[in-house]
Amino acid sequence: MIQTLVTGATGTLGTALRPRLTAAGHAVRATSRSSPEETKGNLDWVELDLIKGTGIRSALENIDVVIHTATAPQGDTAAVDVQGTKRLIKAAESAGMEHFVYPSIVGIGDIPFSYYEHKAVAETAVEESDIPATIVRSTQFYSFIAELLDSVAKLPVWPLPTNVLIQPVDVGEVADIIVDHATLTASGRIDSVGGPEIRSVGELAQAYRAARDLRRPIIRFPIPGKTMTAFRSGHATCPDHRVGRVTWEEWLAERYPAPTTGM
Ligand SMILES: NC(=O)c1ccc[n+]([C@@H]2O[C@H](COP(=O)([O-])OP(=O)(O)OC[C@H]3O[C@@H](n4cnc5c(N)ncnc54)[C@H](OP(=O)(O)O)[C@@H]3O)[C@@H](O)[C@H]2O)c1
């Protein structure tokens, strides 16, 4: 049985990975800074803080494969995604790890955005380490797009960069691919994982509004700068890798089921 450590186990991807890894026969150890109440006693859980460096050694004990999903997109990305990843790699090298799996993001080399730049530095650290590695770049998860729209949905008018292009994907489909690669043999950089459709933010917002039966106007809010220019140019997409099958509309229908009408 492969002993697999998932960092960032309370996150979107980590949460999708845990049951899939268990179903695939892995013995899973999960980590984040604090263990959720429902997992207490039911799961091999180690509290680990990548900034403080606490818990790393015990988390890595008797582990074969690390899937490093911990990240801090809204926080100190240099401390967590760069320094924290380097700290984890160093400890994993000392522990004689067989395989380090690193989820990353499509287009990070072409989109000037500090989080992405830090992810790119972390990818390089993973590749340069002594541990055989697999790097899985994917596009934005549907849940992430929905969270952004949830916050805009509170406004009377939705100002959005409507012509930005993305190719979002269901996180479960990304997790399935990661689990397939979570073996004792590393695959290097695998093909990017993108959703089935390249859509503009305006189209995604319209579908979201329809799924929630809302009527607020969507207005184009141009955001100047190189980051948005790169997104508008499609650098966050991977047209040749439409791997996901679940569409945005299907995902929304699952999240916002239509109310059933009584007889
Ligand atoms: N979200 C997307 O749309 C998307 C798209 C493509 C690729 N990715 C990549 O997929 C991976 C997972 O992303 P995600 O969206 O699942 O992330 P997420 O939901 O933001 O979860 C981040 C996880 O990291 C943990 N964490 C944060 N700070 C930490 C620290 N100092 N020490 C230890 N753990 C810490 C968090 O748990 P605690 O706060 O409890 O510690 C949480 O479990 C990342 O590599 C990301 O770049 C994400």
Side-chain angles (χ1 to χ4, degrees), residues 98-256:
E98 301 266 358
H99 184 185
F100 195 98
V101 181
Y102 189 56
S104 191
I105 307 172
V106 167
I108 54 171
D110 300 310
I111 301 174
F113 176 44
S114 69
Y115 174 51
Y116 285 8
E117 284 156 10
H118 288 145
K119 290 285 298 182
V121 174
E123 274 190 359
T124 303
V126 169
E127 280 188 312
E128 287 178 350
S129 98
D130 295 340
I131 311 168
T134 299
I135 295 178
V136 185
R137 283 187 176 189
S138 73
T139 53
Q140 285 68 34
F141 305 150
Y142 287 139
S143 51
F144 170 67
I145 306 302
E147 271 170 40
L148 294 179
L149 292 170
D150 287 346
S151 53
V152 175
K154 295 172 188 131
L155 304 173
V157 170
W158 299 359
L160 290 166
T162 45
N163 55 354
V164 159
L165 292 175
I166 49 177
Q167 188 184 343
V169 66
D170 179 78
V171 69
E173 295 184 307
V174 178
D176 286 338
I177 289 167
I178 292 177
V179 171
D180 286 347
H181 284 86
T183 63
L184 296 180
T185 309
S187 305
R189 271 179 192 273
I190 68 161
D191 284 346
S192 296
V193 181
E197 301 169 313
I198 296 173
R199 307 281 294 269
S200 71
V201 165
E203 288 167 356
L204 296 170
Q206 282 170 19
Y208 168 93
R209 186 177 59 177
R212 292 196 55 190
D213 197 22
L214 300 172
R215 306 265 187 284
R216 307 278 165 89
I218 298 167
I219 56 162
R220 184 165 161 237
F221 181 72
I223 302 176
K226 290 181 185 165
T227 306
M228 280 299 149
T229 302
F231 271 104
R232 275 194 300 275
S233 310
H235 286 308
T237 67
C238 49
D240 297 335
H241 301 288
R242 298 169 194 254
V243 179
R245 287 167 185 271
V246 178
T247 66
W248 175 235
E249 278 77 2
E250 287 165 351
W251 188 88
L252 287 168
E254 186 88 8
R255 192 182 205 231
Y256 300 107

